[in-house]
Amino acid sequence: MPSAADTAADQKAIAADPAMVSLYEAHQKIYPRSVSGLFSHWRWAFVWLTQLVFYGLPWLDWGQRQAVLFDLGARRFYIFNLVLYPQDFIYLTGILVISALSLFLFTAVAGRLWCGYACPQTVYTEIFLWIEKKFEGDRSARMRRDNGPFSLDKFVRKGGKHLAWLAVALWTGFTFVGYFTPITQLGSELIQLRMGSWEVFWTGFYGFATYGNAGFMREQVCKHMCPYARFQSAMFDHDTLIVTYDQQRGEPRGARSRKADPTQLNLGACVDCTLCVQVCPTGIDIRNGLQYECIGCGACADVCNTVMDKMGYARGLVKYSTQNAVQQNWSGPEILRHVLRPRVLLYSAILLAVVVAMLVSLVLRSPFKVDVVRDRGTLARIVSGGNIENVFRLQVMNATESDQVYRMSVSGLEGLALASDAQFNVDSTQSRWIAVRVQLPYEAARPGSHPIQFEIMQQGNDKHVSEKSVFLVPR
Ligand code: SF4
Ligand code: SF4
C-alpha cells in the first residue's frame, strides 16, 4: 500500500507530466448533503425500528430472566418463550437459511434494499452523519471548515462531534455485550467498575468498530469490504427494481431558467444541478447508469424530485424502476407484473416452505431430550436372584423453565424390568445424568444383544420420548 508521502509525490509527478496516469486513486472524502423525501423518511423509519429493537431488546424481561439472552457459558439461548440448547443447532441453521433466502428474494425483487435501509453500516452511518450535521452543519459548512485553518470553533465542534460519536459507539458495544451477559448485571458491574476482561474487550471492540466504520470508513466499507456488493449483480436481472436515471427523458442535460421551455432549447429534463451526486453517500453519479457502488438508498431520487418540483416538471427523472421498464416505457402495473417473475415466485415458495417447516418443528419440539449411553464399565452381569443386569446412563435435559418430574419404563424383551427408581426430577433448563439398572430373568433370552426401548414421560402432560438401546445377554 503506498504511503501518503508516496501518493503525494506520485500526484505531483502526474500533475507535472500530463502523459502519466496514476494507478492509485487517492481517497476523496465524501460530504453527503442532507436530503428530505419519501425514501429518506423510509430510511429514518428503519433507523428507528432497527435501533429500538437493538437497544431495547436486552432490557426486556421475560419472567425471571432477560427475554433475549445468548448465555454462551451455560450453553443456553433464551429467545422469549424458547430455550435452545447446543442440540438445537438445527434452528440456528434454519435461521441462517431463512436470512439467506430472504436476501436473495429481496435482491431479486428490489436490488440492494437491505444495503440502503437496514444494513447496520447504513444505519450507523446515517446516525453518525446526523450527529456530524448537528455539530458541524450541512455539506458546504463542513467542507469549508475542513479546508479552513485551525480555530477554536473548529476544535470545539469537531471535539464535540467525536465525543458524541464515542458515546454512541460505546453504548452500542455495551448493548451488544448485553445480549451475552444479563444487561442489568453488566450495568451494575460497569457502575462499580468491575466488568470482566472479556466484557471490556468486546464492548471496546464492537464500539471501536462502530466508531471507525460509521465515522470514518463509511462508503469504503460498502465499496471495498462488503462481499455482498460484489456478488449482488448475480442476483439482478433486467426486471429487478433499482434506482435508475431516465436517460431518454433527462438528456441532453443542461442548466436553464425555470421559465425556459426545454424543447426550444433542445434540452432534456435534467438541469445538471449535480444535487443527485452531492446527496449520494457513496459519491457516485446515478446518471452514469447502474454502478456496483450504488446501495439503492434513493437519496438521489428524493433530491431530484425536489428539483423537478421547483422546475415544474414531472417527478421521477430518478426513480425506482427496472431496466426493462425504462427502456420500454412500462407503466406501474406492468412493472409489477414483471417483478413477479418465475425466479421470484420460486424464491418465495422455498422461503415459505422453510419458514413453515421451522415453525412446525418449533411447535412440535419436545420440552425435554433424552440420550441413552451404555455404561462401558459394566456391560452385563449376573446379580442376586439369578437375573442378568445391564447398566445404562440416561441424560435427561429439561428444556422448560420449570422443574419437572419424569417417569421411565423399559420394554422390548419378555420379563425386562427396571431395578432402579422409575421416577426422577430435573431442575428447570438443566440436564441430569441418571444411572439406570435394567434386569432380565436368566435364560429369558438367547445370548447376544437384543434391541430394547426406554420410554420417558413427563408428569402432568402426555409428552413422552422413546430412545432405543440394546440389552446384552452374556454366554
Ligand atoms: S438531481 Fe436530477 S436534475 Fe439535478 S443533476 Fe441530478 S438528475 Fe439532473
Ligand atoms: S446513486 Fe442514488 S441510490 Fe445509489 S447510493 Fe447514490 S444516492 Fe443512493
Side-chain angles (χ1 to χ4, degrees):
M1 199 178 185
S3 68
D6 290 344
T7 310
D10 286 350
Q11 299 298 333
K12 261 191 196 160
I14 291 160
D17 181 357
M20 269 181 84
V21 175
S22 173
L23 292 177
Y24 175 76
E25 190 186 8
H27 173 238
Q28 304 283 329
K29 187 173 173 187
I30 294 171
Y31 296 85
R33 191 189 194 101
S34 33
V35 60
S36 176
L38 178 67
F39 302 117
S40 144
H41 293 149
W42 272 110
R43 232 174 16 261
W44 272 104
F46 273 92
V47 168
W48 278 103
L49 184 73
T50 52
Q51 296 319 289
L52 277 177
V53 171
F54 175 72
Y55 291 116
L57 212 47
W59 296 99
L60 199 67
D61 280 343
W62 195 262
Q64 301 298 309
R65 60 159 169 91
Q66 196 168 306
V68 177
L69 179 68
F70 307 116
D71 190 342
L72 296 178
R75 299 200 291 168
R76 306 266 185 282
F77 285 6
Y78 301 93
I79 305 169
F80 297 99
N81 216 9
L82 210 63
V83 186
L84 298 176
Y85 298 82
Q87 288 84 342
D88 295 315
F89 196 72
I90 185 78
Y91 295 112
L92 184 64
T93 315
I95 291 170
L96 291 178
V97 171
I98 289 171
S99 309
L101 282 171
S102 308
L103 200 63
F104 292 166
L105 174 64
F106 294 135
T107 309
V109 171
R112 294 176 71 179
L113 268 191
W114 163 257
C115 300
Y117 296 88
C119 171
Q121 179 61 23
T122 305
V123 166
Y124 286 106
T125 301
E126 194 81 30
I127 295 171
F128 275 47
L129 268 171
W130 179 82
I131 295 173
E132 188 166 71
K133 191 178 147 203
K134 291 289 158 208
F135 279 94
E136 293 199 59
D138 205 1
R139 175 185 154 89
S140 45
R142 295 204 301 269
M143 288 169 87
R144 251 197 327 275
R145 187 167 296 108
D146 277 2
N147 293 328
F150 178 78
S151 67
L152 184 64
D153 173 72
K154 187 169 177 172
F155 176 76
V156 170
R157 283 177 187 276
K158 286 205 177 276
K161 174 186 83 174
H162 283 284
L163 282 178
W165 279 1
L166 277 170
V168 174
L170 286 175
W171 189 249
T172 307
F174 173 81
T175 305
F176 173 74
V177 175
Y179 279 90
F180 300 90
T181 301
I183 201 159
T184 43
Q185 174 195 325
L186 195 67
S188 76
E189 284 174 7
L190 175 69
I191 292 166
Q192 296 166 42
L193 296 179
R194 53 176 190 84
M195 266 168 77
S197 50
W198 278 111
E199 288 152 352
V200 171
F201 170 77
W202 282 109
T203 302
F205 182 82
Y206 201 83
F208 178 73
T210 308
Y211 177 66
N213 288 344
F216 300 93
M217 302 286 287
R218 294 187 178 170
E219 81 289 346
Q220 310 263 30
V221 174
C222 311
K223 280 159 88 168
H224 308 299
M225 290 163 72
C226 176
Y228 177 51
R230 304 282 156 174
F231 70 78
Q232 48 141 347
S233 54
M235 289 180 260
F236 277 31
D237 59 27
H238 285 197
D239 287 318
T240 299
L241 280 168
I242 46 170
V243 178
T244 48
Y245 166 68
D246 188 342
Q247 201 130 14
Q248 286 173 17
R249 207 190 125 194
E251 300 297 319
R253 66 187 77 163
R256 82 289 309 260
S257 105
R258 211 184 301 178
K259 292 190 194 108
D261 180 359
T263 36
Q264 277 184 2
L265 297 170
N266 194 26
L267 286 173
C270 176
V271 300
D272 205 13
C273 59
T274 73
L275 283 176
C276 49
V277 184
Q278 294 176 35
V279 295
C280 178
T282 65
I284 58 168
D285 188 341
I286 191 66
R287 295 171 298 172
N288 295 338
L290 179 62
Q291 294 146 78
Y292 85 91
E293 294 97 332
C294 175
I295 58 168
C297 66
C300 51
D302 274 340
V303 81
C304 190
N305 280 341
T306 62
V307 176
M308 294 295 107
D309 288 349
K310 275 187 199 140
M311 296 301 293
Y313 301 165
R315 287 178 154 216
L317 178 59
V318 179
K319 61 184 173 192
Y320 273 99
S321 187
T322 69
Q323 280 169 284
N324 277 339
V326 170
Q327 279 158 15
Q328 295 168 48
N329 271 324
W330 284 343
S331 62
E334 271 178 308
I335 297 175
L336 212 61
R337 254 205 321 279
H338 285 84
V339 165
L340 297 175
R341 54 204 185 280
R343 181 178 168 183
V344 168
L345 297 177
L346 183 71
Y347 283 154
S348 311
I350 299 174
L351 182 61
L352 190 69
V354 176
V355 170
V356 169
M358 186 148 150
L359 287 178
V360 168
S361 135
L362 272 174
V363 169
L364 298 179
R365 178 174 171 260
S366 171
F368 65 103
K369 299 180 196 318
V370 180
D371 272 332
V372 180
V373 182
R374 286 194 56 83
D375 190 327
R376 297 277 163 210
T378 323
L379 284 182
R381 63 189 175 198
I382 311 282
V383 292
S384 59
N387 285 339
I388 303 166
E389 183 176 275
N390 280 199
V391 181
F392 300 85
R393 281 161 59 76
L394 260 67
Q395 188 189 31
V396 182
M397 185 180 282
N398 176 4
T400 69
E401 293 191 77
S402 50
D403 299 350
Q404 299 292 345
V405 179
Y406 301 94
R407 272 199 83 75
M408 84 172 100
S409 62
V410 64
S411 61
L413 285 170
E414 189 70 34
L416 197 68
L418 286 173
S420 47
D421 281 349
Q423 187 166 309
F424 55 92
N425 41 358
V426 182
D427 293 345
S428 69
T429 71
Q430 297 299 312
S431 64
R432 184 178 161 191
W433 284 99
I434 299 174
V436 181
R437 290 183 291 119
V438 178
Q439 293 184 358
L440 184 73
Y442 196 62
E443 292 188 340
R446 281 179 288 109
S449 66
H450 301 272
I452 61 166
Q453 214 170 29
F454 288 94
E455 185 95 354
I456 296 94
M457 288 141 291
Q458 185 175 314
Q459 214 168 63
N461 61 35
D462 58 354
K463 302 282 182 199
H464 61 99
V465 168
S466 297
E467 277 293 312
K468 289 181 185 149
S469 190
V470 287
F471 189 92
L472 295 180
V473 178
R475 286 178 198 284

